[in-house]
Amino acid sequence: MLLSRYKKTRMSPSPLSIPVMMSVVVLILISLMPTQSSSSSPTLTITPRSLKKSGDTVLIEWSNVSSPSSLDWLGIYSPPDSSHDCFIGYKFLNSSPSWASGSGSISLPLNNLRSKYSFRIFRWTQSEVDLTKLDQDHNPLPGTSHLLSQSKPLGFTAGRGPEQVHLAFTDEESEMRVMFVAEDAEKRYVRYGEGEEEMDEVAVARVERYEKDDMCDAPANSSVGWRDPGWVFDGVIKGLKKGVRYYYQVGSDSKGWSKIYSFVSRNEDSDETVAFLFGDMGTATPYSTFLRTQDESISTVKWILRDIEALGDKPAFVSHIGDISYARGYSWLWDQFFAQIEPISSKVAYHVCIGNHEYDWPLQPWRPDWAKTIYRTDGGGECGVPYSLKFHMPGNSSEPTGTRAPATRNLYYSFNNGVVHFVYISTETNFFPGSSQYNFIKHDLESVDRNKTPFVVVQGHRPMYTTGNEKRDAPMREKMLEHLEPLFVKNKVTLVLWGHVHRYERFCPLNNFNCGSMGFSGEKWEAFPIHVVIGMAGQDWQPIWAPRADHPNDPIYPQPQRSMYRGGEFGYTRLVATKEKLILSYVGNHDGEVHDMVEILASGQVLNNGGAGGSMGSVTAGSGAGVEVAESKFSWYVKGASLLILGTFIGYVLGYFSRTKKANALGKTWTLVKTEDT
């Protein structure tokens, strides 16, 4: 009975059961169809999950990115909870060779920002490109509307010790200042001694910090630019012997110690002075960011480090005259800069003066009418605060900011180093007669003991003289010529070094645009200051030279008689002086060799008109002449390799002519595939 009823029902289905059955069939078919599993979604992984120190590398890998686009990009974030548009930097996925497959990898060295990192992949479409949101190179900043994947956080291991170590002279010859950054304010120390196993002396480091509200403008005080700057520690090593190598490290037992560094203490009694001088270096980043960064700074650091190591146990120092990190309100670029220079700044004192990109902002206290087009927003809202706290130069110069920000420091100061008296000035704050700075410069230059330090070198950021096409700064140059040049001429300053213009240019001995005779032909000579522009250490925006006045739009840039040498090669200068003679050499970054040189006697007479020559190896005291340049092993290796290449080239040329001769003998000719006309 039940069976017959079932059969009857199957044989005669009701109209309502047909849709139901169809739905069941459809559901069964759908369930049997292959589905996209979660494993096919874009994935983003990092290896390792923890780094030991700044500069260590993380491997970032991704896969399963469907329909890859050349606009897909990787965002770098710190802290990990930053909003999408507040990235540290970015890399396009197509920088990986395998990106078109939807998978790839990027390796990035990262600096410790005292906060964890994370990474995110975004899809950015051509229709979403916003030409109103550009980086400094006028490229659109990538859009963040479509997040594809996000990594787990990446951190740095604890107990690694402080970082960003840099040295500076104090007002006492027997001292050396040591500064560094840590993640908290817990007490840190500097321990030191004359041997790695003899670091028995200890100095307590004082600590300072600045906050977001101390910044004066955007982006420095905005969520895009601000990051935790950490705590800045400042310790002073005392009781140093003259010209002795000391070993030191920074940190604490509870928080960890840095690696061991060393330096050679200064010796004002020395008959020799060595310094490396430049401006406008900046820093390089392994990723793109909101601002243009300075890749050439890598070479500058490399060659200076070579020269420092070649010196052995001779003391030296670095002079960086303005436009230091080019952070301009993006905090992490300061961290990048200090990590990059640490191989140098942990070995020798690193001295600075302030530039427009550390300080300028619209409401700065000293902004006379003639300077309204000069002092603009170049500081990115920092108003000198990071510069003032991250460095501590000799003297106690400062000017109030007029805001809750701490006073701006490190404006003007001086010190003796061997046979040279070095003076640093600020072109961004008041230098008019009656100002604190003017009074300092005047008194300082008048007080120099030329028997002890026969050479005087003044340094500032914006140049008094340049043949670069820098029209905007012309009113400032006029004021400097009016108020400062008479002090330099009267007190027989030897050299005046400037940055700001990103080229090298050396002038004749100058007084109000007039060249003093240099006595090359036995005529009477005049000891006027020699001005040199040395802003070529890294920033890659290069102003053109001033064109002809009667043809301003034609690409001809005559070199005035007062300009003895000028060039666009990135690099730095090296100063070597004895009691008798000072030599300033311009070293190019592409080869590490000297491209220009000027020699000045203690009397002020110029011995030569410069030009290329010499190699940058270790510099030793010579007999009679005072200084000679000895070639390093590196130079010999380069020359040896050059000879091999030259020999190979000559062999190739000879072989070519031999083959051509044979081909012609057989009646064969060559047919050019492409000519210059095509």
Side-chain angles (χ1 to χ4, degrees):
M1 183 70 178
L2 290 175
L3 180 61
S4 62
R5 187 179 296 175
Y6 174 74
K7 289 181 177 180
K8 185 177 180 181
T9 303
R10 291 288 302 272
M11 294 297 293
S12 304
S14 67
L16 291 176
S17 66
I18 293 175
V20 173
M21 292 179 66
M22 291 296 293
S23 298
V24 171
V25 171
V26 170
L27 289 173
I28 293 172
L29 290 174
I30 290 174
S31 67
L32 294 175
M33 291 175 65
T35 59
Q36 185 177 18
S37 66
S38 59
S39 63
S40 63
S41 300
T43 61
L44 186 59
T45 60
I46 54 175
T47 309
R49 291 281 305 279
S50 180
L51 301 180
K52 293 182 178 179
K53 65 182 185 306
S54 287
D56 284 353
T57 298
V58 60
L59 177 64
I60 306 161
E61 299 177 282
W62 65 89
S63 60
N64 299 327
V65 174
S66 61
S67 303
S69 163
S70 60
L71 293 181
D72 295 341
W73 62 283
L74 173 79
I76 305 155
Y77 292 85
S78 180
D81 60 355
S82 299
S83 60
H84 285 341
D85 60 346
C86 289
F87 45 80
I88 296 291
Y90 61 92
K91 296 274 289 186
F92 286 100
L93 300 193
N94 63 13
S95 62
S96 172
S98 61
W99 72 276
S101 70
S103 301
S105 64
I106 293 173
S107 292
L108 284 177
L110 296 175
N111 286 320
N112 175 23
L113 300 182
R114 299 155 299 280
S115 179
K116 292 183 178 181
Y117 282 85
S118 69
F119 307 91
R120 305 171 198 174
I121 290 179
F122 294 91
R123 172 136 296 165
W124 185 35
T125 64
Q126 191 68 45
S127 63
E128 294 170 324
V129 173
D130 186 350
L131 296 180
T132 66
K133 295 181 179 180
L134 307 176
D135 65 15
Q136 195 183 25
D137 285 320
H138 314 294
N139 298 315
L141 289 168
T144 59
S145 298
H146 311 294
L147 176 67
L148 299 184
S149 187
Q150 182 167 339
S151 75
K152 294 181 179 179
L154 165 74
F156 283 79
T157 58
R160 63 195 169 274
E163 296 183 326
Q164 303 183 26
V165 177
H166 54 105
L167 304 173
F169 298 139
T170 73
D171 289 313
E172 299 295 327
E173 179 194 5
S174 61
E175 297 178 347
M176 181 69 83
R177 188 178 303 282
V178 185
M179 301 188 73
F180 52 93
V181 171
E183 68 275 10
D184 59 48
E186 186 175 307
K187 189 172 289 186
R188 262 68 166 200
Y189 307 87
V190 183
R191 58 186 184 192
Y192 59 97
E194 293 185 43
E196 293 189 45
E197 307 300 326
E198 304 171 17
M199 295 187 295
D200 301 324
E201 300 292 328
V202 177
V204 178
R206 68 179 182 87
V207 63
E208 283 189 287
R209 177 181 168 85
Y210 57 92
E211 303 293 344
K212 182 178 179 179
D213 290 342
D214 292 330
M215 304 292 101
C216 298
D217 212 333
N221 61 4
S222 71
S223 56
V224 170
W226 172 259
R227 295 296 185 277
D228 175 12
W231 296 81
V232 181
F233 287 82
D234 184 342
V236 177
I237 296 175
K238 300 184 177 183
L240 300 175
K241 301 174 185 177
K242 296 181 179 183
V244 172
R245 181 169 295 280
Y246 284 87
Y247 296 83
Y248 71 99
Q249 61 182 163
V250 299
S252 67
D253 290 337
S254 61
K255 292 291 185 174
W257 291 91
S258 71
K259 70 176 186 179
I260 297 174
Y261 305 93
S262 73
F263 65 87
V264 179
S265 59
R266 64 173 163 163
N267 181 6
E268 290 186 10
D269 297 333
S270 174
D271 288 337
E272 185 178 55
T273 299
V274 178
F276 307 95
L277 314 102
F278 53 85
D280 306 77
M281 185 172 75
T283 188
T285 55
Y287 45 75
S288 298
T289 187
F290 298 92
L291 298 175
R292 179 189 300 120
T293 54
Q294 296 74 42
D295 289 345
E296 275 290 335
S297 62
I298 296 173
S299 294
T300 305
V301 169
K302 178 188 72 173
W303 292 120
I304 292 176
L305 184 59
R306 172 203 63 176
D307 291 348
I308 290 172
E309 291 174 345
L311 287 173
D313 287 335
K314 290 188 176 184
F317 75 96
V318 163
S319 188
H320 187 161
I321 55 174
D323 287 4
I324 310 298
S325 69
Y326 282 98
R328 293 162 286 177
Y330 293 92
S331 175
W332 62 89
L333 293 177
W334 277 110
D335 294 284
Q336 190 79 21
F337 170 79
F338 279 108
Q340 183 172 322
I341 69 165
E342 189 183 76
I344 291 173
S345 63
S346 61
K347 290 181 172 67
V348 299
Y350 199 101
H351 279 259
V352 294
C353 69
I354 199 165
N356 53 304
H357 286 299
E358 284 76 59
Y359 184 72
D360 291 5
W361 86 101
L363 298 179
Q364 65 190 78
W366 193 64
R367 195 166 180 259
D369 288 341
W370 56 265
K372 286 183 179 178
T373 61
I374 298 173
Y375 297 146
R376 301 192 296 183
T377 60
D378 298 341
E382 292 183 353
C383 54
V385 175
Y387 167 84
S388 297
L389 272 69
K390 289 178 176 291
F391 294 103
H392 189 166
M393 299 293 99
N396 57 0
S397 62
S398 67
E399 294 286 348
T401 59
T403 69
R404 64 158 278 172
T408 308
R409 310 173 196 167
N410 310 318
L411 295 173
Y412 45 88
Y413 62 95
S414 66
F415 58 82
N416 291 336
N417 188 277
V419 297
V420 182
H421 181 73
F422 292 92
V423 185
Y424 294 77
I425 66 175
S426 166
T427 58
E428 312 310 301
T429 55
N430 194 348
F431 55 81
F432 277 26
S435 67
S436 298
Q437 177 167 210
Y438 181 89
N439 293 338
F440 164 80
I441 296 170
K442 182 176 185 297
H443 179 265
D444 187 82
L445 292 179
E446 291 173 349
S447 303
V448 176
D449 181 355
R450 301 302 282 262
N451 292 318
K452 183 177 182 180
T453 54
F455 303 100
V456 176
V457 177
V458 175
Q459 299 162 91
H461 184 60
R462 299 182 195 248
M464 184 182 296
Y465 288 100
T466 175
T467 63
N469 198 25
E470 281 281 336
K471 296 180 180 179
R472 195 185 86 187
D473 281 357
M476 169 169 279
R477 291 196 289 273
E478 292 174 3
K479 301 299 182 183
M480 294 168 71
L481 285 162
E482 178 183 356
H483 300 304
L484 296 181
E485 186 176 49
L487 294 179
F488 299 165
V489 173
K490 178 182 177 181
N491 292 284
K492 299 187 182 302
V493 169
T494 311
L495 279 173
V496 190
L497 305 177
W498 310 104
H500 194 57
V501 176
H502 306 144
R503 293 182 180 269
Y504 172 86
E505 184 169 25
R506 176 175 58 83
F507 292 90
C508 64
L510 277 172
N511 181 16
N512 193 26
F513 288 95
N514 295 313
C515 285
S517 172
M518 292 182 279
F520 291 149
S521 303
E523 72 275 15
K524 183 179 179 181
W525 53 272
E526 299 172 85
F528 291 153
I530 294 178
H531 292 252
V532 189
V533 177
I534 57 172
M536 67 297 178
Q539 177 60 288
D540 59 358
W541 180 81
Q542 296 287 309
I544 61 173
W545 304 113
R548 294 176 295 174
D550 55 341
H551 291 78
N553 298 320
D554 292 333
I556 296 176
Y557 312 105
Q559 187 168 356
Q561 185 178 3
R562 63 182 178 275
S563 177
M564 310 304 293
Y565 185 100
R566 64 186 189 183
E569 169 77 6
F570 291 103
Y572 60 98
T573 61
R574 179 174 189 165
L575 182 151
V576 181
T578 65
K579 284 280 189 181
E580 294 80 23
K581 183 169 61 175
L582 181 151
I583 300 177
L584 185 74
S585 304
Y586 162 40
V587 185
N589 273 358
H590 81 276
D591 59 4
E593 298 293 335
V594 175
H595 292 251
D596 181 50
M597 179 187 295
V598 62
E599 299 177 274
I600 310 168
L601 294 180
S603 62
Q605 184 178 6
V606 180
L607 286 188
N608 70 330
N609 192 25
S615 61
M616 292 305 297
S618 62
V619 177
T620 58
S623 59
V627 177
E628 61 184 13
V629 181
E631 293 179 319
S632 64
K633 291 182 179 179
F634 182 82
S635 292
W636 283 109
Y637 294 151
V638 171
K639 288 185 177 181
S642 300
L643 288 174
L644 288 174
I645 294 171
L646 179 61
T648 303
F649 176 75
I650 292 172
Y652 174 83
V653 171
L654 292 175
Y656 170 80
F657 281 116
S658 176
R659 290 191 300 272
T660 304
K661 185 176 181 180
K662 290 180 180 178
N664 289 337
L666 294 173
K668 297 178 181 178
T669 58
W670 291 98
T671 302
L672 292 177
V673 176
K674 184 177 181 181
T675 68
E676 292 182 0
D677 297 330
T678 58

